[in-house]
């Protein structure tokens, strides 16, 4: 699990890595970066690591598996929406939108869990 670092350090590493990847993309890969890959798509794996470490160190449970199952449910809801309400399901568009929702949700969960853990452990 790599709980070598305390949870505030892992949150800091995840945020700094996101910023460093964005700077690398802007400085070195302005024209060579693939259009469909965003910096957050790469850095989300470190956000998941930080979520797992934070929840394990503060509450002694790992919330990463339930969170990923929540993303599966969101994917099912998105597929039902695209298939039955919009009536034009495209697999490529589905995966792209689902990944963007999962990435955004991961960062919201990271910020929320970090803030909640800070308020709990600051005593």
């Amino acid at each position: 699990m790599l709980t070598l670092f305390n949870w505030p350090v892992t949150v800091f590493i995840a945020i700094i890595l996101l910023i460093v990847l964005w700077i690398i993309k802007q400085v070195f890969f302005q024209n060579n970066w693939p259009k469909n890959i965003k910096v957050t798509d790469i850095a989300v794996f470190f956000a998941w690591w930080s979520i797992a470490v934070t929840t394990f160190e503060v509450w002694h449970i790992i919330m990463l598996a339930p969170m990923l199952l929540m993303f599966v449910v969101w994917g099912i809801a998105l597929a039902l929406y695209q298939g039955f309400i919009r009536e034009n399901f495209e697999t490529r568009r589905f995966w792209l939108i689902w990944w963007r929702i999962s990435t955004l949700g991961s960062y919201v969960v990271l910020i929320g869990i970090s803030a909640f853990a800070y308020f709990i452990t600051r005593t």
Side-chain angles (χ1 to χ4, degrees), residues 17-85:
L17 188 70
L18 178 67
I19 293 169
V20 166
L21 283 173
W22 182 78
I23 290 171
I24 288 172
K25 177 192 171 206
Q26 295 298 323
V27 173
F28 297 110
F29 295 109
Q30 288 179 350
N31 298 326
N32 298 336
W33 194 270
K35 291 181 181 179
N36 292 334
I37 297 178
K38 306 259 186 255
V39 172
T40 54
D41 296 341
I42 298 169
V44 74
F45 298 108
F46 294 97
W48 288 346
W49 166 66
S50 181
I51 290 168
V53 168
T54 302
T55 56
F56 181 73
E57 287 184 5
V58 175
W59 295 285
H60 303 293
I61 59 170
I62 299 174
M63 286 184 49
L64 190 60
M67 188 181 78
L68 294 177
L69 288 175
M70 177 186 63
F71 293 149
V72 169
V73 172
W74 286 359
I76 293 169
L78 180 63
L80 291 173
Y81 170 75
Q82 282 185 350
F84 292 110
I85 295 175

Side-chain angles (χ1 to χ4, degrees), residues 3-11 53 57:
T3 57
L4 179 69
F5 306 111
N6 288 335
W7 70 267
V9 176
T10 62
V11 173
V53 168
E57 287 184 5

